[in-house]
Amino acid sequence: MMEQPLFGRRLKELRLARGLSQAALAADEISTGYLSRLESGMRQPTERVVAYLAKRLDIDRSAFEARSGSTSLAQALTLVSSTDGDEAVETLMAALDNAEGSDPLLRWQALWLIARRWRRLGNKAEELACLEELDRIAEELGLPELRCRVWASLARCLRSSGDVHRAIETADKAVRLAKEVHLAVSDISVALMALVAAEAEEGRLPDARAHVDELVKLVEDLGGPLRAEALWSAATVRFRQGDQEAALALLERAIDGLDSRADLTLWVRLRLAAASLCLQSAPPLTGPARQRLAEAEPALGFVGTPLLNQELLTLKAHLAFEQQRYGDSRALLDELHRDELWLTYRDRIRLGVLDGRLLILEGRLDDGLAQLKELGEEARRASNVDLAAEIWRILAEALETARAAAPGTA
């Protein structure tokens, strides 16, 4: 018998690990509503449905069943360290559920690996829950390295979820701790990156600029992924300060200095980031954006996750809009909304802005303007200053266009 809610949780994990939407997994056999209720644990699966889902996911039905308590946490960690498979992580999660009172160092290691998996998949709620538990265990252990790493990861997750103020406080704690106890350059750098990202998001650009300059100087001679991420951070700050040319130059340095064999996922993310900056430039640089998306897309066949695939579709939708292919932009937007969105808070807001602009072009002026006003207010309440300013600018342009089209009625 398949037990709920364990069956639903494992079903959702397996689906996301394969990059499938609910609609793609359901196909013509079952409804997406029924599949959603299965994943939430609200419906008990029938034998026929279990057989169908196992076939669609290309797994043995035993992958859905409750694990035996005989797999120790240490054994599960060994399995995960020797394979990249998702089933090993599921075994680890099951072992962790049965490991109350076990060695806190083992629990920390297991939760860290699980949090990284949730991050890769884009599930911020699950990642946040893991990180908060990791913070509790790190405090219990009293190891500054673990506390610093958890705080940096927690700050990044909070920023992506829209809780920018708490992200700044958490990242600042990580930086101060890393410096006070003289942690490794890598720990200081990761903490600084989390702080810079959160400060830039809240519009504290002078602080972000000072910290990112410190970061780049710290890693300039290291090379590899750490240097590439530092240059990416610097590019983001320069762009939000209005220096588009310097921002794109920094991102090009990051791209040129990273071999895909060193970190293929980061190699892809840098190209998506470059495309995003090109599309946000004034005027939008659609040619370079299209080129970077064309470079990134084939590699997603190897490192694609639901989050990265959604980021690609989002940028394609923005590109289509800037190229005045409004029907294509709407179709891509509809495709994105067929499943749960894993995008960052900022990207979700910008996607909503795109939807509002399309509504206006489609003749639904009042709906489009109302949506833009609501998103502008939301960004303002979240202290996301530059994003709010961008939305109000777009809203003003939309109102001006409406007045020109119908004098005296807009």
Side-chain angles (χ1 to χ4, degrees):
M1 184 71 172
M2 297 295 171
E3 298 178 5
Q4 287 285 29
L6 183 59
F7 172 82
R9 188 182 75 179
R10 290 199 174 133
L11 171 60
K12 185 174 182 178
E13 290 165 0
L14 289 165
R15 174 177 67 79
L16 293 175
R18 285 152 179 78
L20 296 174
S21 66
Q22 289 183 338
L25 179 57
D28 297 327
E29 187 71 19
I30 59 178
S31 71
T32 54
Y34 176 61
L35 180 59
S36 178
R37 289 191 290 275
L38 285 176
E39 290 188 349
S40 67
M42 295 175 63
R43 289 292 299 271
Q44 189 69 26
T46 65
E47 289 298 318
R48 182 185 67 81
V49 167
V50 171
Y52 167 75
L53 292 171
K55 182 178 179 181
R56 290 282 294 168
L57 292 167
D58 193 25
I59 57 170
D60 188 273
R61 58 172 289 143
S62 62
F64 295 126
E65 294 172 353
R67 305 289 188 196
S68 135
S70 61
T71 302
S72 71
L73 190 53
Q75 287 174 323
L77 282 166
T78 302
L79 288 172
V80 171
S81 67
S82 60
T83 180
D84 294 326
D86 285 301
E87 288 195 22
V89 180
E90 293 159 26
T91 301
L92 179 59
M93 293 173 71
L96 189 60
D97 287 340
N98 297 318
E100 197 65 39
S102 62
D103 184 342
L105 277 171
L106 289 179
R107 288 182 60 80
W108 197 95
Q109 188 178 353
L111 278 165
W112 183 255
L113 292 171
I114 293 168
R116 287 177 60 184
R117 179 172 185 254
W118 289 127
R119 179 190 179 190
R120 181 175 63 83
L121 294 174
N123 191 325
K124 296 170 193 64
E126 293 286 358
E127 182 190 6
L128 185 60
C130 284
L131 290 170
E132 288 177 335
E133 177 64 11
L134 280 164
D135 187 23
R136 188 193 66 76
I137 296 173
E139 182 178 12
E140 175 187 340
L141 292 168
L143 294 174
E145 293 89 349
L146 299 188
R147 299 213 77 185
C148 179
R149 291 166 194 173
V150 169
W151 286 343
S153 295
L154 185 56
R156 185 199 60 249
C157 185
L158 289 166
R159 178 190 61 80
S160 295
S161 303
D163 194 349
V164 185
H165 184 69
R166 188 180 164 202
I168 291 176
E169 291 181 342
T170 307
D172 184 60
K173 286 195 304 181
V175 171
R176 285 189 282 109
L177 176 62
K179 291 179 177 180
E180 285 170 8
V181 299
H182 307 291
L183 295 184
V185 168
S186 58
D187 284 318
I188 299 173
S189 301
V190 170
L192 276 170
M193 274 189 269
L195 180 58
V196 166
E199 288 173 334
E201 196 85 338
E202 197 174 51
R204 293 166 56 170
L205 296 177
D207 292 337
R209 175 65 179 267
H211 285 130
V212 86
D213 287 348
E214 177 187 354
L215 170 63
V216 170
K217 184 177 180 181
L218 189 64
V219 303
E220 186 63 46
D221 296 332
L222 296 181
L226 198 58
R227 176 179 177 272
E229 288 199 80
L231 290 171
W232 179 5
S233 297
T236 301
V237 173
R238 296 295 195 282
F239 190 85
R240 294 187 186 176
Q241 287 182 315
D243 193 345
Q244 297 178 7
E245 185 176 349
L248 292 171
L250 283 164
L251 209 42
E252 288 300 318
R253 282 176 59 196
I255 289 171
D256 292 342
L258 183 70
D259 192 310
S260 61
R261 291 169 294 185
D263 189 332
L264 183 56
T265 299
L266 179 57
W267 186 92
V268 169
R269 292 176 66 221
L270 287 171
R271 281 154 176 77
L272 296 180
S276 180
L277 289 193
C278 286
L279 290 170
Q280 293 178 65
S281 296
L285 306 173
T286 55
R290 184 177 62 250
Q291 177 187 339
R292 290 306 185 191
L293 293 179
E295 292 169 357
E297 188 165 8
L300 287 176
F302 300 98
V303 295
T305 63
L307 173 59
L308 283 176
N309 289 328
Q310 286 186 0
E311 288 177 354
L312 176 68
L313 284 176
T314 297
L315 290 169
K316 282 186 169 182
H318 285 295
L319 176 61
F321 183 90
E322 297 300 343
Q323 293 176 325
Q324 299 183 5
R325 295 184 290 112
Y326 302 127
D328 291 342
S329 185
R330 170 58 72 189
L332 288 162
L333 206 60
D334 290 344
E335 183 178 350
L336 277 161
H337 283 116
R338 288 190 192 117
D339 203 9
E340 185 175 359
L341 286 178
W342 301 108
L343 300 170
T344 65
Y345 171 82
R346 186 182 187 87
D347 284 345
R348 290 199 308 273
I349 293 293
R350 294 193 71 244
L351 199 64
V353 171
L354 176 62
D355 184 35
R357 298 177 78 180
L358 285 170
L359 287 172
I360 292 170
L361 289 168
E362 291 161 354
R364 298 170 59 186
L365 179 63
D366 290 342
D367 291 340
L369 293 177
Q371 181 156 313
L372 290 175
K373 289 177 183 177
E374 182 180 342
L375 291 169
E377 278 298 312
E378 183 178 341
R380 183 190 62 79
R381 289 193 299 269
S383 299
N384 208 311
V385 178
D386 67 312
L387 183 59
E390 178 188 351
I391 297 171
W392 293 126
R393 176 185 59 79
I394 291 170
L395 180 60
E397 291 174 353
L399 286 168
E400 186 66 28
T401 301
R403 290 192 187 97
T409 61

Short mmCIF file of all heavy atoms in Angstrom, two decimals, residues 108 112 138 142-152 177-178 181-184 187:
data_model
loop_
_atom_site.label_atom_id
_atom_site.label_comp_id
_atom_site.label_asym_id
_atom_site.label_seq_id
_atom_site.Cartn_x
_atom_site.Cartn_y
_atom_site.Cartn_z
N TRP A 108 23.72 17.46 10.13
CA TRP A 108 24.07 18.68 9.42
C TRP A 108 24.48 18.38 7.99
O TRP A 108 24.02 19.03 7.04
CB TRP A 108 25.22 19.40 10.15
CG TRP A 108 25.36 20.84 9.73
CD1 TRP A 108 24.84 21.93 10.35
CD2 TRP A 108 26.06 21.33 8.58
NE1 TRP A 108 25.16 23.07 9.65
CE2 TRP A 108 25.91 22.74 8.57
CE3 TRP A 108 26.80 20.73 7.56
CZ2 TRP A 108 26.47 23.55 7.57
CZ3 TRP A 108 27.35 21.53 6.56
CH2 TRP A 108 27.20 22.92 6.58
N TRP A 112 22.49 19.63 4.68
CA TRP A 112 23.20 20.49 3.75
C TRP A 112 23.04 19.98 2.31
O TRP A 112 22.77 20.75 1.39
CB TRP A 112 24.67 20.57 4.14
CG TRP A 112 25.49 21.49 3.30
CD1 TRP A 112 26.39 21.15 2.32
CD2 TRP A 112 25.51 22.93 3.35
NE1 TRP A 112 26.95 22.27 1.77
CE2 TRP A 112 26.44 23.38 2.38
CE3 TRP A 112 24.84 23.87 4.12
CZ2 TRP A 112 26.70 24.73 2.16
CZ3 TRP A 112 25.10 25.22 3.90
CH2 TRP A 112 26.02 25.63 2.94
N ALA A 138 24.03 24.12 13.62
CA ALA A 138 25.35 24.77 13.60
C ALA A 138 25.59 25.52 14.91
O ALA A 138 26.71 25.53 15.44
CB ALA A 138 25.45 25.73 12.42
N GLY A 142 28.60 24.77 17.45
CA GLY A 142 29.54 25.83 17.78
C GLY A 142 30.71 25.95 16.81
O GLY A 142 31.78 26.46 17.20
N LEU A 143 30.53 25.50 15.57
CA LEU A 143 31.60 25.58 14.57
C LEU A 143 31.38 26.82 13.69
O LEU A 143 30.38 26.90 12.96
CB LEU A 143 31.62 24.32 13.70
CG LEU A 143 31.98 23.02 14.43
CD1 LEU A 143 31.82 21.83 13.50
CD2 LEU A 143 33.40 23.09 14.97
N PRO A 144 32.29 27.81 13.73
CA PRO A 144 32.07 29.05 12.97
C PRO A 144 31.99 28.84 11.47
O PRO A 144 31.25 29.55 10.77
CB PRO A 144 33.26 29.92 13.35
CG PRO A 144 34.29 28.99 13.89
CD PRO A 144 33.53 27.87 14.52
N GLU A 145 32.74 27.86 10.94
CA GLU A 145 32.67 27.60 9.49
C GLU A 145 31.26 27.22 9.06
O GLU A 145 30.75 27.71 8.05
CB GLU A 145 33.64 26.47 9.10
CG GLU A 145 35.11 26.82 9.26
CD GLU A 145 35.64 26.51 10.65
OE1 GLU A 145 34.81 26.21 11.55
OE2 GLU A 145 36.86 26.56 10.84
N LEU A 146 30.63 26.35 9.85
CA LEU A 146 29.27 25.92 9.51
C LEU A 146 28.26 27.05 9.66
O LEU A 146 27.37 27.22 8.83
CB LEU A 146 28.86 24.73 10.38
CG LEU A 146 29.71 23.46 10.28
CD1 LEU A 146 29.07 22.33 11.05
CD2 LEU A 146 29.93 23.06 8.82
N ARG A 147 28.41 27.84 10.71
CA ARG A 147 27.49 28.96 10.91
C ARG A 147 27.60 29.96 9.77
O ARG A 147 26.60 30.45 9.24
CB ARG A 147 27.77 29.66 12.24
CG ARG A 147 27.62 28.78 13.46
CD ARG A 147 27.12 29.54 14.65
NE ARG A 147 25.69 29.79 14.55
CZ ARG A 147 25.00 30.53 15.41
NH1 ARG A 147 25.64 31.09 16.43
NH2 ARG A 147 23.71 30.72 15.28
N CYS A 148 28.83 30.27 9.36
CA CYS A 148 29.04 31.23 8.27
C CYS A 148 28.42 30.72 6.97
O CYS A 148 27.75 31.47 6.26
CB CYS A 148 30.54 31.48 8.10
SG CYS A 148 30.93 32.61 6.75
N ARG A 149 28.63 29.44 6.67
CA ARG A 149 28.11 28.89 5.41
C ARG A 149 26.59 28.84 5.40
O ARG A 149 25.95 29.12 4.38
CB ARG A 149 28.72 27.50 5.17
CG ARG A 149 30.20 27.56 4.86
CD ARG A 149 30.89 26.22 4.95
NE ARG A 149 32.35 26.42 4.98
CZ ARG A 149 33.22 25.45 5.19
NH1 ARG A 149 32.81 24.20 5.40
NH2 ARG A 149 34.52 25.72 5.20
N VAL A 150 26.02 28.49 6.54
CA VAL A 150 24.55 28.47 6.63
C VAL A 150 23.99 29.87 6.47
O VAL A 150 23.02 30.09 5.74
CB VAL A 150 24.09 27.84 7.96
CG1 VAL A 150 22.61 28.07 8.17
CG2 VAL A 150 24.37 26.37 7.97
N TRP A 151 24.57 30.84 7.16
CA TRP A 151 24.05 32.21 7.08
C TRP A 151 24.15 32.76 5.66
O TRP A 151 23.23 33.44 5.20
CB TRP A 151 24.83 33.11 8.05
CG TRP A 151 24.47 32.90 9.48
CD1 TRP A 151 23.35 32.28 9.97
CD2 TRP A 151 25.22 33.30 10.63
NE1 TRP A 151 23.36 32.27 11.34
CE2 TRP A 151 24.50 32.88 11.78
CE3 TRP A 151 26.45 33.96 10.80
CZ2 TRP A 151 24.95 33.11 13.07
CZ3 TRP A 151 26.90 34.20 12.10
CH2 TRP A 151 26.17 33.78 13.22
N ALA A 152 25.25 32.48 4.96
CA ALA A 152 25.39 32.96 3.57
C ALA A 152 24.31 32.34 2.69
O ALA A 152 23.68 33.01 1.87
CB ALA A 152 26.78 32.64 3.04
N LEU A 177 31.42 37.38 10.97
CA LEU A 177 31.96 36.18 11.59
C LEU A 177 33.16 35.65 10.82
O LEU A 177 34.19 35.29 11.42
CB LEU A 177 30.87 35.10 11.67
CG LEU A 177 31.31 33.74 12.23
CD1 LEU A 177 31.78 33.88 13.67
CD2 LEU A 177 30.18 32.72 12.13
N ALA A 178 33.04 35.60 9.48
CA ALA A 178 34.13 35.07 8.65
C ALA A 178 35.42 35.87 8.86
O ALA A 178 36.52 35.31 8.91
CB ALA A 178 33.73 35.09 7.18
N VAL A 181 36.98 35.44 12.73
CA VAL A 181 37.70 34.20 13.06
C VAL A 181 38.64 33.77 11.94
O VAL A 181 39.15 32.66 11.95
CB VAL A 181 36.71 33.07 13.41
CG1 VAL A 181 35.88 33.44 14.61
CG2 VAL A 181 35.82 32.72 12.22
N HIS A 182 38.84 34.67 10.96
CA HIS A 182 39.81 34.43 9.89
C HIS A 182 39.53 33.13 9.12
O HIS A 182 40.39 32.27 8.99
CB HIS A 182 41.24 34.41 10.44
CG HIS A 182 41.59 35.63 11.24
ND1 HIS A 182 41.74 36.88 10.67
CD2 HIS A 182 41.77 35.79 12.58
CE1 HIS A 182 42.04 37.77 11.62
NE2 HIS A 182 42.05 37.14 12.78
N LEU A 183 38.29 33.02 8.63
CA LEU A 183 37.93 31.86 7.83
C LEU A 183 38.61 31.94 6.45
O LEU A 183 39.21 32.94 6.09
CB LEU A 183 36.42 31.77 7.66
CG LEU A 183 35.62 31.52 8.94
CD1 LEU A 183 34.14 31.35 8.61
CD2 LEU A 183 36.13 30.30 9.70
N ALA A 184 38.48 30.87 5.69
CA ALA A 184 39.10 30.79 4.37
C ALA A 184 38.55 31.87 3.44
O ALA A 184 37.42 32.36 3.62
CB ALA A 184 38.85 29.41 3.76
N ASP A 187 35.07 31.21 2.12
CA ASP A 187 33.95 31.50 3.02
C ASP A 187 33.66 33.00 3.07
O ASP A 187 32.49 33.41 3.03
CB ASP A 187 34.26 30.98 4.43
CG ASP A 187 34.11 29.48 4.55
OD1 ASP A 187 33.13 28.94 4.00
OD2 ASP A 187 34.96 28.85 5.17
#
